Amino acid sequence: MQKIANYNFSGKRALVRVDFNVPLNEKMEITDDTRIQAAIPTIKKILSEGGSVILMSHLGRPKNGPEEKFSLKHIVKKIEEVLGQTILFSDDCVGDDAYKKSSRLKAGEVLLLENLRFHQEEKKGELNFAKALAEHGDVYVNDAFGTAHRAHASTAIIAQFFPNDKMFGYLIEKEIESVSKVLNNSVHPVTAIVGGAKVSSKIIIIENLLDKVNNLIIGGGMAYTFAKAQGGCVGNSLIENDYLDTAKEILNKAIAKNVKIFIPTDSVVADAFSNDANTQLCPTNNIPEGFMGLDIGEHAIAKNVECILNSKTILWNGPMGVFEMSKFQKGTEMIAKAVAEATQKGAFSLVGGGDSVAAVNKFHLADKVSHVSTGGGAMLEYLEGKELPGIAAILS
Ligand code: AMP
């Protein structure tokens, strides 16, 4: 397999799949350029060696063909600003104009192709469309982790047209390496923190993690299904009754596998799902009717923090409570701070999938953890142990 670090791009046209699906406001201004920043190391490596770059991405969810609001022309200026050079743009990702521009690219030049999803063949993963895209480059680099779980034309199908010249970009490489550090080559003790709204959306991850971790900290809305499964009274908390048996099974498996599970012993409970609600602290297994658990309590925070600070490898997926509301943010904030502190003490920490990424950003701790994943859904599936088509296509 080719590695980007060892590949010589001199004189090559590199077709790079990036994830520039950036948020835009109503004035078509980019409100968060993280994804563009994240692709820069790969682009610069190619350019610095005398290669040229053809960038391809999707933006939003266009329905039937081109839609002005999803045009990638809106992000040209930002790419130029971040990259520090002018770039070319083609208003279709295939066709005469696009080929003319890509074939005439000189060393050090960059061309951005229009939104791939203006062609429905992209999402359908059509072979002929992938072949048409492949015409643009001598070498294919996939650096779009956010779409690696999709078998689309530009993310997976295209790779077969570059049997000896396909590779991951630096960003995907880092994502793969981070997951591997957590799940395969981990330094123990390993602690997984899984929160968020529902057990149902995290069940496969939890099952996959039981074979890999020493400690499993459960938080967020899903904690109440576990607490109820243990026989607790959880008032009006979010409960998935269909998952009570599953929760029991997980608790039993954890005992069998010697994994220590932390279900929050206490909770901040509220009489409404609102920042203006009346709140109180109470044991998670004895929440009064009319109240719902919206954050982990002081005792749970202390226990979780102690566990995190004693860990050498940490995975965090999903918030501990409704951290979007100030009254229920403390649990998530304290966990975020503990993960940052453990990292400073030498632990490896990966924050990925779900709203935990938003949480570390909210508490300005993103640069204090080892890796914050750029791929929500892709990271979730990767942690579930699934094979991601975009990754498999490069490895095969
Ligand atoms: P997820 O996308 O599964 O990581 O879920 C994130 C969402 O779960 C966030 O929007 C939180 O507000 C929500 N959440 C966290 N804790 C609770 C809770 N105790 N009850 C209801 N929702 C929660």
Side-chain angles (χ1 to χ4, degrees):
M1 200 192 97
Q2 300 282 5
K3 296 274 277 180
I4 183 166
N6 305 331
Y7 196 89
N8 184 357
F9 288 94
S10 173
K12 303 266 189 194
R13 288 177 307 149
L15 181 57
V16 186
R17 177 50 159 109
V18 286
D19 180 3
F20 284 173
N21 185 27
V22 290
L24 295 165
N25 63 19
E26 55 297 331
K27 286 193 220 143
M28 294 297 150
E29 293 160 344
I30 297 175
T31 53
D32 180 352
D33 67 2
T34 310
R35 287 178 165 165
I36 295 176
Q37 299 277 4
I40 295 301
T42 292
I43 300 172
K44 286 220 158 134
K45 149 88 180 167
I46 299 165
L47 298 179
S48 70
E49 286 180 352
S52 55
V53 171
I54 299 108
L55 295 170
M56 52 178 180
S57 177
H58 72 286
L59 175 66
R61 296 186 171 178
K63 296 258 158 21
N64 301 306
E67 276 178 69
E68 164 75 15
K69 66 176 177 190
F70 295 127
S71 171
L72 281 170
K73 71 180 181 203
H74 301 304
I75 73 167
V76 167
K77 244 175 72 193
K78 183 54 114 184
I79 300 173
E80 292 184 331
E81 198 182 298
V82 175
L83 194 58
Q85 70 178 69
T86 55
I87 66 166
L88 298 160
F89 180 71
S90 165
D91 57 12
D92 196 353
C93 59
V94 288
D96 290 346
D97 177 63
Y99 292 132
K100 201 152 77 186
K101 285 184 172 140
S102 65
S103 62
R104 288 182 186 170
L105 275 185
K106 295 195 205 74
E109 288 186 337
V110 178
L111 167 67
L112 173 68
L113 302 175
E114 181 56 289
N115 195 340
L116 294 158
R117 291 195 188 164
F118 285 175
H119 293 261
Q120 292 183 11
E121 298 92 326
E122 161 66 358
K123 281 179 83 172
K124 289 182 188 154
E126 281 191 10
L127 189 70
N128 283 337
F129 182 64
K131 192 164 180 236
L133 289 172
E135 296 287 320
H136 285 296
D138 309 309
V139 37
Y140 169 67
V141 181
N142 188 359
D143 214 13
F145 185 68
T147 44
H149 57 318
R150 308 281 182 223
H152 293 171
S154 70
T155 60
I157 313 303
I158 193 171
Q160 63 196 277
F161 298 106
F162 301 88
N164 303 311
D165 299 284
K166 56 179 181 176
M167 68 201 77
F168 298 122
Y170 285 122
L171 176 62
I172 287 208
E173 258 185 7
K174 189 156 186 239
E175 300 270 6
I176 294 173
E177 196 185 286
S178 300
V179 173
S180 174
K181 272 192 186 165
V182 168
L183 297 186
N184 308 320
N185 311 310
S186 40
V187 184
H188 288 248
V190 183
T191 297
I193 309 157
V194 184
K198 294 181 171 179
V199 182
S200 50
S201 61
K202 301 287 165 79
I203 199 72
I204 307 174
I205 290 192
I206 293 177
E207 285 184 336
N208 194 32
L209 290 175
L210 282 179
D211 286 324
K212 325 261 183 191
V213 305
N214 306 101
N215 306 300
L216 177 61
I217 295 175
I218 304 269
M222 74 172 75
Y224 301 96
T225 299
F226 280 94
K228 188 169 175 187
Q230 286 177 319
C233 300
V234 293
N236 291 30
S237 303
L238 187 66
I239 287 294
E240 286 174 285
N241 283 314
D242 293 353
Y243 280 83
L244 288 172
D245 288 341
T246 314
K248 270 184 217 157
E249 274 168 35
I250 286 174
L251 292 167
N252 288 334
K253 272 192 203 161
I255 294 170
K257 290 177 192 279
N258 216 5
V259 175
K260 193 166 177 205
I261 290 217
F262 293 72
I263 310 288
T265 42
D266 57 349
S267 291
V268 177
V269 301
D271 61 0
F273 191 83
S274 155
N275 210 25
D276 302 324
N278 296 306
T279 63
Q280 64 186 66
L281 193 62
C282 78
T284 301
N285 61 9
N286 199 9
I287 299 176
E289 274 312 310
F291 281 81
M292 62 188 93
L294 294 183
D295 196 8
I296 57 173
E298 296 292 338
H299 187 257
I301 291 175
K303 284 280 167 210
N304 293 353
V305 167
E306 186 189 359
C307 170
I308 292 165
L309 292 180
N310 285 319
S311 303
K312 287 275 173 274
T313 303
I314 302 158
L315 166 69
W316 184 16
N317 173 298
M320 297 290 99
V322 185
F323 73 103
E324 299 92 336
M325 299 182 199
S326 57
K327 269 192 178 164
F328 314 110
Q329 74 172 37
K330 189 171 177 191
T332 305
E333 183 174 5
M334 298 309 282
I335 280 356
K337 285 186 172 154
V339 174
E341 195 181 329
T343 311
Q344 205 178 21
K345 285 187 359 188
F348 178 82
S349 54
L350 164 62
V351 180
D355 276 358
S356 37
V357 172
V360 287
N361 286 332
K362 176 168 178 172
F363 303 123
H364 308 290
L365 293 167
D367 58 351
K368 302 218 161 35
V369 298
S370 308
H371 183 65
V372 179
S373 177
T374 54
M379 182 51 85
L380 276 183
E381 291 196 19
Y382 207 22
L383 293 172
E384 286 174 349
K386 288 189 185 145
E387 181 180 72
L388 306 190
I391 290 180
I394 298 287
L395 295 178
S396 67

